[in-house]
Amino acid sequence: MAVEHVEIERKFDVDEAFELPDLGGAPGVVEVREPVEHALEAAYYDTTDLRLARARVTMRRRTGGPDAGWHVKLPAVAGARRELHSPLGRATKTPPKAVLEPVLGIVRRAPAAQVAALRTRRVVSELVDADGRVLVEVADDHVTGTALPAAPGEAAVVTTWREVEVELVDGDEQLLADVAGLLVTAGARPASSPAKLTRVLAHRLADADGAVEPPAAAPERAGKKKGKKKKHRHAPGTPAGDVVRSALAAQVRALQDADLMVRTGQPDGVHQVRVACRRLRSTLAAFRPVLDRTRTDPLREELAQVGSALSSSRDAEVALAHLRDLVAAEPAELVPGPVAARLQQATTRDEQAGDAQARKALNAAAYLQLRDDLDVLVEEPPLTEAATRPAEEVLREVVARAGRRLRRSVEAAQDSDDAEALHDVRKAAKRLRYTSEAAVSVLGAPVAELVSTLKGVQEVLGDRQDTFVTRPLCVQLGRAAFAAGENAFTWGRLHALEEARCQQAERDFWLRWPELRSVLKTRSK
């Protein structure tokens, strides 16, 4: 079983003549221990088209040093990289199945073989505090990297350099910054490559358009909000086909990142896979004037099947979490019996079943083929003649069409008592939102305002839809509690609270609709 390690470090390029400064003066450091030298050898594995490297993932088999074994380094998030460590084992020519499993959504059915070898003479200095805790490790590396021939007849490419890595152990990020400042003052420079392998394979990574991956779409309803980033804007007159291809590339990348979340046990991973599938389906549907639908409609159907396969586990996860929060907020006298314990047991069972179900769906041959097909879609999109038209014209038409679809759904819901009518409104609002998000890079602030308004509406209708899962769950768990001789009062109360939430969400939507209708009239023309 892989052991997870979170790596927070900074890398610096240094010349051969560079000398480490006195690091004992860093705040909180009372001793710099005697340096220890290690001889490290690492074999790096990837597919022939370097899928892992392009996804900012590295896989290596390292010998020598205190952390010998198989290492899979995942993309950095907020300055930290997760690293999965597995024992060396006997495999040397190809990575073991257990090592490959977390990145199966990237390599898929392509074989992974050795693409590079690194030899490193590492001298490690530990910075410790008064209690003897290691706060930071400073590694002075002399590296010889060999990129193996990519094809018969090609020559290996050898690169040598020296770099210094500063890695947090038990210190804080302020100390990391202080030590980094001392190194920069002494002549070190921020590393030109984020990883050793990137430097070794630079000539191959630069040979294809996919060398730099597009940014993924922001996670939906997943944690704290981050500071706003400057959004990319397409130049006026950009062909519609270029904009659509860019949007598809970002969404395919988002699906890959979400897939990695699921396979490495990250919270919200299943939800993000479903969101990525929905965005792709909406984009393929909305941009039918630009894309040959005989090629894209089958992909939409396959994406729908993936989302459907994951829906039950995700819906139950959200429902149970919400019910636990409700129970925690209730006065103790209104929660007789082991209600919280029963919810926790249900959550544990659901997590285990949901994880198995998600992995089964993402390991299926049909899903892996879909991922290959989506890569082909991005590389060679089936563009129509309309793809050469200016993006501004096409995107205005596409957004307006999606807006009309939403208005028709709302009109149908106004004249219907069917609970599904507002669910259809929610789906139409999602399609308009995703379509508009793809158009922001061309149409700018007016459409961004529409997206903002749609988010609020989508949240309200999402809350409503969630109650169609929580209410049957209350009935199911209440019956089980009653059969076990427990007091079922709380389950009936929770059901009533969820009925009230549904009704309030419906009222909130109709209160919001005039504002949304006004924005639609002015922004989606």
Side-chain angles (χ1 to χ4, degrees):
M1 179 179 292
V3 176
E4 182 174 323
H5 169 69
V6 177
E7 180 182 76
I8 301 176
E9 66 178 12
R10 295 191 184 182
K11 293 174 177 284
F12 299 90
D13 292 335
V14 296
D15 300 326
E16 283 301 319
F18 177 80
E19 294 185 6
L20 281 177
D22 178 11
L23 301 175
V29 176
V30 300
E31 179 189 359
V32 179
R33 287 178 177 167
E34 195 69 23
V36 177
E37 183 171 326
H38 301 288
L40 309 177
E41 295 197 11
Y44 284 80
Y45 294 79
D46 207 334
T47 60
T48 55
D49 55 356
L50 304 181
R51 295 182 187 181
L52 292 174
R54 298 187 195 286
R56 309 182 309 283
V57 172
T58 58
M59 178 185 293
R60 71 187 178 200
R61 185 179 190 274
R62 172 183 278 177
T63 56
D67 63 345
W70 286 93
H71 301 167
V72 176
K73 287 191 175 186
L74 305 177
V77 177
R81 282 191 88 173
R82 296 169 58 226
E83 187 172 319
L84 307 178
H85 291 190
S86 301
L88 278 173
R90 297 180 180 180
T92 57
K93 292 186 178 180
T94 57
K97 182 178 179 180
V99 174
L100 274 172
E101 202 282 332
V103 294
L104 184 61
I106 301 174
V107 299
R108 301 191 278 279
R109 290 167 294 185
Q114 186 176 353
V115 295
L118 269 72
R119 290 187 176 185
T120 304
R121 181 171 67 83
R122 168 166 289 183
V123 179
V124 178
S125 299
E126 296 179 337
L127 281 57
V128 300
D129 64 8
D131 297 325
R133 292 185 310 149
V134 178
L135 303 176
V136 169
E137 285 186 352
V138 179
D140 187 356
D141 291 346
H142 288 76
V143 189
T144 300
T146 303
L148 303 184
E154 293 186 3
V157 177
V158 178
T159 309
T160 61
W161 73 94
R162 183 185 175 194
E163 68 179 34
V164 175
E165 294 183 2
V166 185
E167 182 175 354
L168 275 185
V169 183
D170 284 332
D172 56 30
E173 295 199 34
Q174 182 56 54
L175 177 58
L176 183 69
D178 292 335
V179 174
L182 292 172
L183 293 173
V184 170
T185 301
R189 306 172 303 279
S192 57
S193 295
K196 289 181 173 66
L197 183 65
T198 305
R199 189 189 299 257
V200 173
L201 297 177
H203 62 293
R204 290 184 59 186
L205 290 170
D207 284 344
D209 292 338
V212 179
E213 296 283 354
E220 181 177 301
R221 300 177 70 179
K224 298 179 180 178
K225 294 181 180 179
K226 298 182 179 180
K228 291 184 179 179
K229 296 182 179 179
K230 187 176 180 181
K231 295 184 179 295
H232 172 72
R233 290 296 305 273
H234 288 279
T238 300
D242 291 355
V243 175
V244 172
R245 182 182 180 188
S246 177
L248 289 173
Q251 291 165 9
V252 168
R253 174 59 185 279
L255 176 56
Q256 177 172 285
D257 289 347
D259 176 295
L260 190 59
M261 290 175 69
V262 174
R263 295 180 191 276
T264 56
Q266 293 302 288
D268 211 44
V270 170
H271 174 56
Q272 294 306 326
V273 169
R274 292 182 67 199
V275 169
C277 288
R278 284 198 299 260
R279 287 182 185 274
L280 278 163
R281 292 185 66 230
S282 292
T283 298
L284 294 176
F287 290 99
R288 281 170 176 158
V290 178
L291 299 166
D292 180 358
R293 65 179 300 174
T294 63
R295 296 269 304 279
T296 58
D297 279 359
L299 295 179
R300 290 192 70 243
E301 178 58 33
E302 291 165 21
L303 287 163
Q305 291 175 9
V306 173
S308 177
L310 299 176
S311 62
S312 60
S313 63
R314 170 61 187 175
D315 291 344
E317 174 190 352
V318 172
L320 287 166
H322 175 72
L323 292 177
R324 290 202 310 272
D325 289 342
L326 274 185
V327 169
E330 287 288 281
E333 63 269 20
L334 296 182
V335 190
V339 176
R342 189 170 285 279
L343 280 170
Q344 186 56 53
Q345 291 171 357
T347 298
T348 301
R349 289 194 303 269
D350 176 72
E351 286 176 349
Q352 294 172 346
D355 181 69
Q357 182 179 1
R359 290 175 182 272
K360 180 180 179 181
L362 299 189
N363 287 340
Y367 170 77
L368 297 177
Q369 181 61 53
L370 169 63
R371 294 290 310 282
D372 286 341
D373 292 342
L374 290 173
D375 285 348
V376 173
L377 176 71
V378 172
E379 289 298 317
E380 301 175 4
L383 300 176
T384 66
E385 291 184 4
T388 60
R389 293 175 56 201
E392 296 94 326
E393 296 178 5
V394 174
L395 289 171
R396 283 195 181 92
E397 294 170 2
V398 166
V399 171
R401 186 180 302 112
R404 290 193 294 271
R405 183 175 185 267
L406 173 58
R407 281 193 290 269
R408 288 195 298 271
S409 297
V410 173
E411 290 168 0
Q414 288 173 324
D415 301 326
S416 173
D417 294 328
D418 186 355
E420 283 295 311
L422 276 179
H423 185 44
D424 290 340
V425 171
R426 178 177 178 239
K427 291 188 289 186
K430 278 186 180 181
R431 177 180 289 191
L432 177 57
R433 174 188 167 185
Y434 297 153
T435 303
S436 300
E437 285 176 338
V440 167
S441 63
V442 174
L443 302 181
V447 176
E449 180 184 352
L450 174 59
V451 170
S452 179
T453 306
L454 286 165
K455 284 181 180 179
V457 169
Q458 191 177 328
E459 289 283 346
V460 167
L461 291 178
D463 285 344
R464 173 186 179 273
Q465 189 62 28
D466 287 346
T467 70
F468 287 85
V469 180
T470 54
R471 285 180 283 172
L473 190 56
C474 288
V475 173
Q476 174 191 336
L477 293 174
R479 286 175 173 169
F482 182 77
E486 299 168 11
N487 190 324
F489 166 80
T490 304
W491 300 107
R493 176 172 173 79
L494 293 175
H495 189 282
L497 289 172
E498 288 302 279
E499 281 187 326
R501 181 163 75 119
C502 178
Q503 293 165 3
Q504 184 61 51
E506 291 179 359
R507 287 192 292 269
D508 288 345
F509 168 72
W510 291 115
L511 288 172
R512 289 171 180 260
W513 170 238
E515 177 191 0
L516 176 56
R517 181 174 55 197
S518 175
V519 174
L520 282 172
K521 286 180 179 179
T522 58
R523 304 306 186 191
S524 61
K525 291 180 179 179

